[in-house]
Amino acid sequence: MSVTIIGIESSCDDTSAAVIRDGILLSNVIASQSVHEEYGGVVPELASRAHQQNIVPVVDAAIRRAGITKTDLSAIAFTRGPGLLGSLLVGTSFAKGLSLGLRVPIIDVNHLHGHVLSHFVRRGENDRVPRFPFICLLVSGGNSQIVLVRDYNDMEILGQTIDDAAGEAFDKCAKVMGLPYPGGPHIDRLAAEGDPKAFRFAKPHIPGLDYSFSGLKTSFLYTLRDNLRNDPDFIVKNQADLAASLQRTIIEILMEKLDLAVRETGVKTVAIGGGVSANSGVRDAVERYCYAHGLEAFIPERAFTTDNAAMVAIAGYFKYLDKQFCAYSEAPYARVTL
């Protein structure tokens, strides 16, 4: 008998719903919120209000595009955390209500777990998926982690950021350059036009597999401050070179730790996930590294790098097979590790 899961994602500022049947993606609908752009970041109260407006039409659209009816659903998977509590509460409450109405179980999904398992979202039977074990470089606006994935439900964090995440470094540096929010994609675009060796920024010396990006951010700010004293138009004149140099430095920091993790574990497969895995430089660097070292690389579709419900649905699918269901008394959580 087929297993049909709908996933609901509402951890931050995107409302998303997706339907997966037996591991095959049938639909993935995302409603983005442009209201935050003028504030230069996500405003939690506005995000939760927008989720309330979007969740019903988004879920309805996902079901219709999948070519099913709600009575075909085997279970409801939802992001329980980490994320913004108000936003998570909207998705959690809706999932519980839908579950009660349809008399099917609910499955809670860790948002980070979903990013790792996004590589198992298939559009067809013959799509390639990673073999266990593999290393996943999970990089987003709030997280930078190196994860050893032994199985769908067996993951170990080998290293993670001790301060800012890679995505934060991109967005915060972009903001002081006067670029729109979110800044990461604008840095990526400008970097293609600049000289990555034009500027040198500080790189951390953190032992082991942990990351740090706060020093890089500070070094970037000092570079702007020192040059703006002599040239008020410094940022405008050097925007592309600043972006390219910043991107190069972040990628070098990420890849140095990833290389160490591969050498320590001896794995033969490397994957990346999270919002920063949409960055062109990061994707190219991982592909080149894997090719040079004879490793198998898994680079996700850009549609599966940002917050989306397809990853929630696939994580819920595997938990459904193991009968790992969620009690209605469970509440969303803002912070947690894998």
Side-chain angles (χ1 to χ4, degrees):
M1 184 175 178
S2 294
V3 176
T4 305
I5 306 292
I6 187 168
I8 297 173
E9 157 61 21
S10 67
S11 64
C12 191
D13 61 333
D14 287 338
T15 312
S16 182
V19 176
I20 280 181
R21 172 171 285 171
D22 297 333
I24 305 297
L25 182 66
L26 302 183
S27 66
N28 188 32
V29 178
I30 302 175
S32 299
Q33 302 176 8
S34 59
V35 66
H36 307 284
E37 293 177 2
E38 62 181 294
Y39 298 99
V42 177
V43 181
E45 178 62 24
L46 295 180
S48 58
R49 290 181 182 180
H51 283 303
Q52 289 179 314
Q53 296 173 340
N54 293 335
I55 194 163
V56 171
V58 164
V59 169
D60 179 66
I63 291 174
R64 285 189 290 102
R65 293 182 190 180
I68 65 169
T69 66
K70 59 181 181 293
T71 56
D72 295 320
L73 296 174
S74 306
I76 318 297
F78 67 98
T79 301
R80 188 173 158 217
L84 301 175
L85 274 179
S87 296
L88 290 167
L89 188 59
V90 175
T92 300
S93 301
F94 185 88
K96 290 179 180 179
L98 187 59
S99 166
L100 286 168
L102 297 177
R103 297 184 179 180
V104 296
I106 51 172
I107 302 169
D108 61 319
V109 172
N110 182 307
H111 181 78
L112 305 181
H113 195 171
H115 273 304
V116 173
L117 294 183
S118 64
H119 295 279
F120 295 90
V121 176
R122 294 178 295 148
R123 297 188 185 275
E125 293 288 347
N126 298 321
D127 285 3
R128 194 172 62 105
V129 297
R131 291 173 292 180
F132 300 113
F134 65 91
I135 290 287
C136 182
L137 175 61
L138 178 56
V139 278
S140 66
N143 299 278
S144 292
Q145 299 178 336
I146 298 178
V147 183
L148 175 60
V149 187
R150 300 186 183 92
D151 206 334
Y152 303 114
N153 58 359
D154 185 3
M155 304 181 190
E156 178 186 356
I157 298 175
L158 303 180
Q160 59 188 330
T161 181
I162 61 174
D163 42 56
D164 288 348
E168 286 180 282
F170 274 123
D171 286 341
K172 291 178 179 178
C173 290
K175 185 173 183 178
V176 298
M177 288 174 63
L179 298 176
Y181 172 85
H186 296 284
I187 293 289
D188 191 18
R189 173 181 54 81
L190 287 168
E193 306 167 6
D195 178 4
K197 297 182 180 180
F199 300 95
R200 293 180 61 87
F201 304 119
K203 293 169 61 177
H205 298 283
I206 307 298
L209 295 173
D210 285 337
Y211 284 109
S212 171
F213 292 96
S214 63
L216 164 63
K217 183 183 65 177
T218 301
S219 175
F220 185 86
L221 293 175
Y222 282 167
T223 297
L224 297 188
R225 182 199 64 182
D226 294 344
N227 284 279
L228 284 170
R229 288 172 176 170
N230 300 319
D231 184 0
D233 297 323
F234 171 76
I235 293 177
V236 175
K237 294 176 181 177
N238 297 277
Q239 205 172 49
D241 288 347
L242 286 166
S245 300
L246 174 67
Q247 182 161 292
R248 173 186 59 82
T249 307
I250 291 177
I251 291 172
E252 288 178 352
I253 295 171
L254 291 172
M255 295 306 298
E256 285 173 5
K257 298 291 187 174
L258 178 62
D259 175 59
L260 179 59
V262 169
R263 288 189 282 112
E264 288 186 354
T265 60
V267 298
K268 300 300 181 183
T269 303
V270 172
I272 57 174
V276 178
S277 66
N279 180 277
S280 301
V282 172
R283 297 166 76 90
D284 291 344
V286 171
E287 284 190 313
R288 289 196 305 270
Y289 172 80
C290 289
Y291 179 80
H293 293 82
L295 306 175
E296 192 173 16
F298 283 85
I299 313 296
E301 292 183 33
R302 282 188 165 86
F304 299 146
T305 58
T306 54
D307 295 345
N308 66 90
M311 68 183 193
V312 177
I314 194 65
Y317 170 71
F318 292 126
K319 293 187 76 171
Y320 181 92
L321 297 181
D322 290 339
K323 300 187 184 306
Q324 296 181 23
F325 304 128
C326 177
Y328 290 111
S329 58
E330 297 290 355
Y333 48 79
R335 295 183 179 273
V336 75
T337 62
L338 281 170

